[in-house]
Amino acid sequence: MSVRTADGGGGGIGRAVCRILARDGARVVATDINSKSVEETVSMLVNPGEHVALSMNVTDKASVESVVKATIDKLQAPPSLGTFLVTQVVTSALVEHGITSGSIVNLSSIMGKTGNIGQCNYGASKAAVQGLTKSSALELARVGVRVNCVLPGFTQTPMVETVPEKVQKKVLKLTPLNRFAQPEEIAEVVAFLLSDKSSFMTGSCVEVTGGLGM
């Protein structure tokens, strides 16, 4: 079984990713800044005793390094999933342990491609994830690590529930499939990109949007 880290695993898409990966036989390290929420996530997984819940602040390198060390100590293998600091620390751990293959999947957003009114900071940060993905893919191919990202459209998560109803209705009109995604639909694509089924994919930014923004 492989070891996968799902950051933001305390809810929404992150929790769904944990559930799908555990279903598929991976040992999951669920991380979130909220330790209670990831403990709840792990309790929901298939064979919960095989998985780990850890608190992590992705903006704090020491926090990321602590999680990677704890993962190696508990599961005897470095994890493989993350954004900038996580990618940096995890890749170093993979190389240090002589692992010559791996897969990293970053979560961006379709708003990183299209932009959106009132979301300049969010759109910019998600566009940066796509740039990071492509640059990392180029740099890490030499050590056998693939890097891809997923661009979800509007998804039924607590975050989307805070969006004003009139905005949600507008987005629905712009979405050809005329509905929002379920978190599991995003998670299935993440699981595919982490698996050997996508072994010839790297630097790809996969849109899972119901047609929004195409």
PDB file of all heavy atoms in Angstrom, residues 138-165:
ATOM      1  N   LEU A 138       8.545  19.792 -14.232  1.00  0.00           N
ATOM      2  CA  LEU A 138       9.785  19.844 -15.007  1.00  0.00           C
ATOM      3  C   LEU A 138      10.995  19.505 -14.141  1.00  0.00           C
ATOM      4  O   LEU A 138      11.897  18.778 -14.553  1.00  0.00           O
ATOM      5  CB  LEU A 138       9.954  21.233 -15.627  1.00  0.00           C
ATOM      6  CG  LEU A 138       9.021  21.570 -16.796  1.00  0.00           C
ATOM      7  CD1 LEU A 138       9.111  23.058 -17.127  1.00  0.00           C
ATOM      8  CD2 LEU A 138       9.379  20.733 -18.023  1.00  0.00           C
ATOM      9  N   GLU A 139      11.012  20.032 -12.933  1.00  0.00           N
ATOM     10  CA  GLU A 139      12.164  19.832 -12.059  1.00  0.00           C
ATOM     11  C   GLU A 139      12.236  18.424 -11.479  1.00  0.00           C
ATOM     12  O   GLU A 139      13.332  17.881 -11.291  1.00  0.00           O
ATOM     13  CB  GLU A 139      12.124  20.855 -10.914  1.00  0.00           C
ATOM     14  CG  GLU A 139      12.329  22.291 -11.370  1.00  0.00           C
ATOM     15  CD  GLU A 139      12.307  23.281 -10.224  1.00  0.00           C
ATOM     16  OE1 GLU A 139      12.186  22.835  -9.068  1.00  0.00           O
ATOM     17  OE2 GLU A 139      12.408  24.491 -10.478  1.00  0.00           O
ATOM     18  N   LEU A 140      11.084  17.835 -11.183  1.00  0.00           N
ATOM     19  CA  LEU A 140      11.075  16.564 -10.459  1.00  0.00           C
ATOM     20  C   LEU A 140      11.010  15.331 -11.349  1.00  0.00           C
ATOM     21  O   LEU A 140      11.161  14.209 -10.873  1.00  0.00           O
ATOM     22  CB  LEU A 140       9.899  16.541  -9.473  1.00  0.00           C
ATOM     23  CG  LEU A 140       9.938  17.637  -8.402  1.00  0.00           C
ATOM     24  CD1 LEU A 140       8.722  17.547  -7.493  1.00  0.00           C
ATOM     25  CD2 LEU A 140      11.224  17.547  -7.581  1.00  0.00           C
ATOM     26  N   ALA A 141      10.803  15.540 -12.651  1.00  0.00           N
ATOM     27  CA  ALA A 141      10.759  14.389 -13.559  1.00  0.00           C
ATOM     28  C   ALA A 141      12.051  13.587 -13.499  1.00  0.00           C
ATOM     29  O   ALA A 141      12.039  12.354 -13.588  1.00  0.00           O
ATOM     30  CB  ALA A 141      10.499  14.869 -14.991  1.00  0.00           C
ATOM     31  N   ARG A 142      13.160  14.260 -13.297  1.00  0.00           N
ATOM     32  CA  ARG A 142      14.459  13.575 -13.276  1.00  0.00           C
ATOM     33  C   ARG A 142      14.604  12.619 -12.099  1.00  0.00           C
ATOM     34  O   ARG A 142      15.437  11.698 -12.135  1.00  0.00           O
ATOM     35  CB  ARG A 142      15.593  14.599 -13.266  1.00  0.00           C
ATOM     36  CG  ARG A 142      15.595  15.513 -12.056  1.00  0.00           C
ATOM     37  CD  ARG A 142      16.649  16.613 -12.167  1.00  0.00           C
ATOM     38  NE  ARG A 142      16.538  17.572 -11.084  1.00  0.00           N
ATOM     39  CZ  ARG A 142      17.066  17.396  -9.878  1.00  0.00           C
ATOM     40  NH1 ARG A 142      17.762  16.311  -9.622  1.00  0.00           N
ATOM     41  NH2 ARG A 142      16.913  18.309  -8.949  1.00  0.00           N
ATOM     42  N   VAL A 143      13.809  12.828 -11.038  1.00  0.00           N
ATOM     43  CA  VAL A 143      13.878  11.903  -9.903  1.00  0.00           C
ATOM     44  C   VAL A 143      12.655  10.979  -9.868  1.00  0.00           C
ATOM     45  O   VAL A 143      12.391  10.304  -8.886  1.00  0.00           O
ATOM     46  CB  VAL A 143      14.015  12.653  -8.557  1.00  0.00           C
ATOM     47  CG1 VAL A 143      15.338  13.380  -8.493  1.00  0.00           C
ATOM     48  CG2 VAL A 143      12.846  13.604  -8.320  1.00  0.00           C
ATOM     49  N   GLY A 144      11.897  10.976 -10.971  1.00  0.00           N
ATOM     50  CA  GLY A 144      10.793  10.033 -11.088  1.00  0.00           C
ATOM     51  C   GLY A 144       9.506  10.453 -10.416  1.00  0.00           C
ATOM     52  O   GLY A 144       8.604   9.624 -10.238  1.00  0.00           O
ATOM     53  N   VAL A 145       9.413  11.726 -10.038  1.00  0.00           N
ATOM     54  CA  VAL A 145       8.200  12.204  -9.372  1.00  0.00           C
ATOM     55  C   VAL A 145       7.334  12.964 -10.373  1.00  0.00           C
ATOM     56  O   VAL A 145       7.791  13.893 -11.027  1.00  0.00           O
ATOM     57  CB  VAL A 145       8.545  13.121  -8.176  1.00  0.00           C
ATOM     58  CG1 VAL A 145       7.274  13.696  -7.558  1.00  0.00           C
ATOM     59  CG2 VAL A 145       9.328  12.334  -7.126  1.00  0.00           C
ATOM     60  N   ARG A 146       6.081  12.537 -10.499  1.00  0.00           N
ATOM     61  CA  ARG A 146       5.124  13.222 -11.362  1.00  0.00           C
ATOM     62  C   ARG A 146       4.349  14.263 -10.550  1.00  0.00           C
ATOM     63  O   ARG A 146       4.049  14.044  -9.377  1.00  0.00           O
ATOM     64  CB  ARG A 146       4.139  12.228 -11.977  1.00  0.00           C
ATOM     65  CG  ARG A 146       4.795  11.174 -12.845  1.00  0.00           C
ATOM     66  CD  ARG A 146       3.781  10.248 -13.503  1.00  0.00           C
ATOM     67  NE  ARG A 146       3.022   9.463 -12.529  1.00  0.00           N
ATOM     68  CZ  ARG A 146       1.740   9.636 -12.258  1.00  0.00           C
ATOM     69  NH1 ARG A 146       1.029  10.595 -12.882  1.00  0.00           N
ATOM     70  NH2 ARG A 146       1.110   8.867 -11.381  1.00  0.00           N
ATOM     71  N   VAL A 147       4.029  15.387 -11.196  1.00  0.00           N
ATOM     72  CA  VAL A 147       3.279  16.449 -10.512  1.00  0.00           C
ATOM     73  C   VAL A 147       2.148  16.915 -11.427  1.00  0.00           C
ATOM     74  O   VAL A 147       2.385  17.340 -12.556  1.00  0.00           O
ATOM     75  CB  VAL A 147       4.175  17.657 -10.157  1.00  0.00           C
ATOM     76  CG1 VAL A 147       3.411  18.637  -9.271  1.00  0.00           C
ATOM     77  CG2 VAL A 147       5.455  17.204  -9.464  1.00  0.00           C
ATOM     78  N   ASN A 148       0.931  16.815 -10.953  1.00  0.00           N
ATOM     79  CA  ASN A 148      -0.240  17.271 -11.692  1.00  0.00           C
ATOM     80  C   ASN A 148      -1.135  18.077 -10.762  1.00  0.00           C
ATOM     81  O   ASN A 148      -0.908  18.116  -9.546  1.00  0.00           O
ATOM     82  CB  ASN A 148      -1.014  16.072 -12.247  1.00  0.00           C
ATOM     83  CG  ASN A 148      -0.206  15.281 -13.258  1.00  0.00           C
ATOM     84  OD1 ASN A 148       0.028  15.730 -14.379  1.00  0.00           O
ATOM     85  ND2 ASN A 148       0.243  14.088 -12.867  1.00  0.00           N
ATOM     86  N   CYS A 149      -2.142  18.714 -11.318  1.00  0.00           N
ATOM     87  CA  CYS A 149      -3.089  19.412 -10.449  1.00  0.00           C
ATOM     88  C   CYS A 149      -4.502  19.259 -10.989  1.00  0.00           C
ATOM     89  O   CYS A 149      -4.718  18.940 -12.154  1.00  0.00           O
ATOM     90  CB  CYS A 149      -2.722  20.873 -10.237  1.00  0.00           C
ATOM     91  SG  CYS A 149      -3.051  21.992 -11.607  1.00  0.00           S
ATOM     92  N   VAL A 150      -5.455  19.473 -10.097  1.00  0.00           N
ATOM     93  CA  VAL A 150      -6.879  19.383 -10.422  1.00  0.00           C
ATOM     94  C   VAL A 150      -7.499  20.760 -10.244  1.00  0.00           C
ATOM     95  O   VAL A 150      -7.225  21.454  -9.269  1.00  0.00           O
ATOM     96  CB  VAL A 150      -7.586  18.352  -9.524  1.00  0.00           C
ATOM     97  CG1 VAL A 150      -9.088  18.344  -9.783  1.00  0.00           C
ATOM     98  CG2 VAL A 150      -7.006  16.960  -9.751  1.00  0.00           C
ATOM     99  N   LEU A 151      -8.323  21.143 -11.218  1.00  0.00           N
ATOM    100  CA  LEU A 151      -9.048  22.414 -11.168  1.00  0.00           C
ATOM    101  C   LEU A 151     -10.530  22.115 -10.976  1.00  0.00           C
ATOM    102  O   LEU A 151     -11.256  21.908 -11.947  1.00  0.00           O
ATOM    103  CB  LEU A 151      -8.851  23.204 -12.474  1.00  0.00           C
ATOM    104  CG  LEU A 151      -7.566  23.992 -12.684  1.00  0.00           C
ATOM    105  CD1 LEU A 151      -6.347  23.077 -12.679  1.00  0.00           C
ATOM    106  CD2 LEU A 151      -7.625  24.760 -14.001  1.00  0.00           C
ATOM    107  N   PRO A 152     -11.001  22.063  -9.734  1.00  0.00           N
ATOM    108  CA  PRO A 152     -12.429  21.824  -9.521  1.00  0.00           C
ATOM    109  C   PRO A 152     -13.253  23.051  -9.911  1.00  0.00           C
ATOM    110  O   PRO A 152     -12.789  24.192  -9.823  1.00  0.00           O
ATOM    111  CB  PRO A 152     -12.541  21.573  -8.014  1.00  0.00           C
ATOM    112  CG  PRO A 152     -11.138  21.330  -7.545  1.00  0.00           C
ATOM    113  CD  PRO A 152     -10.275  22.120  -8.476  1.00  0.00           C
ATOM    114  N   GLY A 153     -14.481  22.786 -10.332  1.00  0.00           N
ATOM    115  CA  GLY A 153     -15.456  23.847 -10.444  1.00  0.00           C
ATOM    116  C   GLY A 153     -16.164  23.995  -9.112  1.00  0.00           C
ATOM    117  O   GLY A 153     -15.666  23.550  -8.077  1.00  0.00           O
ATOM    118  N   PHE A 154     -17.337  24.611  -9.115  1.00  0.00           N
ATOM    119  CA  PHE A 154     -18.082  24.755  -7.868  1.00  0.00           C
ATOM    120  C   PHE A 154     -18.483  23.374  -7.350  1.00  0.00           C
ATOM    121  O   PHE A 154     -19.031  22.558  -8.088  1.00  0.00           O
ATOM    122  CB  PHE A 154     -19.314  25.627  -8.082  1.00  0.00           C
ATOM    123  CG  PHE A 154     -19.047  27.099  -7.851  1.00  0.00           C
ATOM    124  CD1 PHE A 154     -18.020  27.750  -8.529  1.00  0.00           C
ATOM    125  CD2 PHE A 154     -19.809  27.818  -6.951  1.00  0.00           C
ATOM    126  CE1 PHE A 154     -17.768  29.089  -8.314  1.00  0.00           C
ATOM    127  CE2 PHE A 154     -19.564  29.173  -6.730  1.00  0.00           C
ATOM    128  CZ  PHE A 154     -18.549  29.812  -7.415  1.00  0.00           C
ATOM    129  N   THR A 155     -18.188  23.135  -6.093  1.00  0.00           N
ATOM    130  CA  THR A 155     -18.389  21.825  -5.476  1.00  0.00           C
ATOM    131  C   THR A 155     -19.177  21.995  -4.182  1.00  0.00           C
ATOM    132  O   THR A 155     -19.001  22.993  -3.470  1.00  0.00           O
ATOM    133  CB  THR A 155     -17.018  21.171  -5.180  1.00  0.00           C
ATOM    134  OG1 THR A 155     -16.246  21.136  -6.393  1.00  0.00           O
ATOM    135  CG2 THR A 155     -17.174  19.760  -4.650  1.00  0.00           C
ATOM    136  N   GLN A 156     -20.016  21.031  -3.873  1.00  0.00           N
ATOM    137  CA  GLN A 156     -20.851  21.103  -2.673  1.00  0.00           C
ATOM    138  C   GLN A 156     -20.000  20.904  -1.427  1.00  0.00           C
ATOM    139  O   GLN A 156     -19.841  19.800  -0.921  1.00  0.00           O
ATOM    140  CB  GLN A 156     -21.954  20.043  -2.733  1.00  0.00           C
ATOM    141  CG  GLN A 156     -22.993  20.258  -3.804  1.00  0.00           C
ATOM    142  CD  GLN A 156     -23.939  21.413  -3.476  1.00  0.00           C
ATOM    143  OE1 GLN A 156     -23.806  22.083  -2.467  1.00  0.00           O
ATOM    144  NE2 GLN A 156     -24.913  21.643  -4.337  1.00  0.00           N
ATOM    145  N   THR A 157     -19.428  22.001  -0.946  1.00  0.00           N
ATOM    146  CA  THR A 157     -18.594  21.995   0.254  1.00  0.00           C
ATOM    147  C   THR A 157     -19.049  23.127   1.165  1.00  0.00           C
ATOM    148  O   THR A 157     -19.769  24.041   0.734  1.00  0.00           O
ATOM    149  CB  THR A 157     -17.115  22.215  -0.103  1.00  0.00           C
ATOM    150  OG1 THR A 157     -16.965  23.537  -0.665  1.00  0.00           O
ATOM    151  CG2 THR A 157     -16.615  21.180  -1.105  1.00  0.00           C
ATOM    152  N   PRO A 158     -18.617  23.107   2.429  1.00  0.00           N
ATOM    153  CA  PRO A 158     -18.963  24.208   3.329  1.00  0.00           C
ATOM    154  C   PRO A 158     -18.551  25.576   2.803  1.00  0.00           C
ATOM    155  O   PRO A 158     -19.231  26.574   3.041  1.00  0.00           O
ATOM    156  CB  PRO A 158     -18.211  23.845   4.616  1.00  0.00           C
ATOM    157  CG  PRO A 158     -18.157  22.348   4.593  1.00  0.00           C
ATOM    158  CD  PRO A 158     -17.957  21.999   3.137  1.00  0.00           C
ATOM    159  N   MET A 159     -17.431  25.642   2.062  1.00  0.00           N
ATOM    160  CA  MET A 159     -16.993  26.926   1.523  1.00  0.00           C
ATOM    161  C   MET A 159     -17.984  27.478   0.509  1.00  0.00           C
ATOM    162  O   MET A 159     -18.332  28.660   0.527  1.00  0.00           O
ATOM    163  CB  MET A 159     -15.613  26.794   0.874  1.00  0.00           C
ATOM    164  CG  MET A 159     -15.050  28.127   0.359  1.00  0.00           C
ATOM    165  SD  MET A 159     -13.409  27.975  -0.360  1.00  0.00           S
ATOM    166  CE  MET A 159     -13.801  27.234  -1.940  1.00  0.00           C
ATOM    167  N   VAL A 160     -18.472  26.617  -0.378  1.00  0.00           N
ATOM    168  CA  VAL A 160     -19.420  27.056  -1.402  1.00  0.00           C
ATOM    169  C   VAL A 160     -20.756  27.446  -0.777  1.00  0.00           C
ATOM    170  O   VAL A 160     -21.460  28.337  -1.272  1.00  0.00           O
ATOM    171  CB  VAL A 160     -19.598  25.967  -2.476  1.00  0.00           C
ATOM    172  CG1 VAL A 160     -20.786  26.259  -3.381  1.00  0.00           C
ATOM    173  CG2 VAL A 160     -18.326  25.859  -3.327  1.00  0.00           C
ATOM    174  N   GLU A 161     -21.098  26.812   0.332  1.00  0.00           N
ATOM    175  CA  GLU A 161     -22.356  27.143   1.002  1.00  0.00           C
ATOM    176  C   GLU A 161     -22.382  28.576   1.509  1.00  0.00           C
ATOM    177  O   GLU A 161     -23.459  29.132   1.740  1.00  0.00           O
ATOM    178  CB  GLU A 161     -22.593  26.166   2.161  1.00  0.00           C
ATOM    179  CG  GLU A 161     -22.939  24.749   1.693  1.00  0.00           C
ATOM    180  CD  GLU A 161     -22.998  23.760   2.838  1.00  0.00           C
ATOM    181  OE1 GLU A 161     -22.815  24.206   4.007  1.00  0.00           O
ATOM    182  OE2 GLU A 161     -23.214  22.562   2.587  1.00  0.00           O
ATOM    183  N   THR A 162     -21.214  29.190   1.671  1.00  0.00           N
ATOM    184  CA  THR A 162     -21.155  30.584   2.125  1.00  0.00           C
ATOM    185  C   THR A 162     -21.320  31.576   0.979  1.00  0.00           C
ATOM    186  O   THR A 162     -21.467  32.773   1.223  1.00  0.00           O
ATOM    187  CB  THR A 162     -19.820  30.873   2.841  1.00  0.00           C
ATOM    188  OG1 THR A 162     -18.735  30.783   1.902  1.00  0.00           O
ATOM    189  CG2 THR A 162     -19.579  29.887   3.972  1.00  0.00           C
ATOM    190  N   VAL A 163     -21.280  31.087  -0.256  1.00  0.00           N
ATOM    191  CA  VAL A 163     -21.435  31.957  -1.427  1.00  0.00           C
ATOM    192  C   VAL A 163     -22.902  32.392  -1.529  1.00  0.00           C
ATOM    193  O   VAL A 163     -23.805  31.565  -1.396  1.00  0.00           O
ATOM    194  CB  VAL A 163     -21.007  31.213  -2.715  1.00  0.00           C
ATOM    195  CG1 VAL A 163     -21.280  32.064  -3.947  1.00  0.00           C
ATOM    196  CG2 VAL A 163     -19.530  30.830  -2.632  1.00  0.00           C
ATOM    197  N   PRO A 164     -23.160  33.680  -1.757  1.00  0.00           N
ATOM    198  CA  PRO A 164     -24.545  34.150  -1.860  1.00  0.00           C
ATOM    199  C   PRO A 164     -25.348  33.366  -2.892  1.00  0.00           C
ATOM    200  O   PRO A 164     -24.818  32.959  -3.933  1.00  0.00           O
ATOM    201  CB  PRO A 164     -24.378  35.612  -2.297  1.00  0.00           C
ATOM    202  CG  PRO A 164     -23.029  36.006  -1.773  1.00  0.00           C
ATOM    203  CD  PRO A 164     -22.187  34.768  -1.884  1.00  0.00           C
ATOM    204  N   GLU A 165     -26.614  33.164  -2.595  1.00  0.00           N
ATOM    205  CA  GLU A 165     -27.473  32.339  -3.449  1.00  0.00           C
ATOM    206  C   GLU A 165     -27.540  32.865  -4.880  1.00  0.00           C
ATOM    207  O   GLU A 165     -27.539  32.086  -5.840  1.00  0.00           O
ATOM    208  CB  GLU A 165     -28.879  32.256  -2.859  1.00  0.00           C
ATOM    209  CG  GLU A 165     -29.804  31.313  -3.623  1.00  0.00           C
ATOM    210  CD  GLU A 165     -31.177  31.208  -2.994  1.00  0.00           C
ATOM    211  OE1 GLU A 165     -31.371  31.768  -1.895  1.00  0.00           O
ATOM    212  OE2 GLU A 165     -32.063  30.568  -3.594  1.00  0.00           O
TER     213      GLU A 165
END
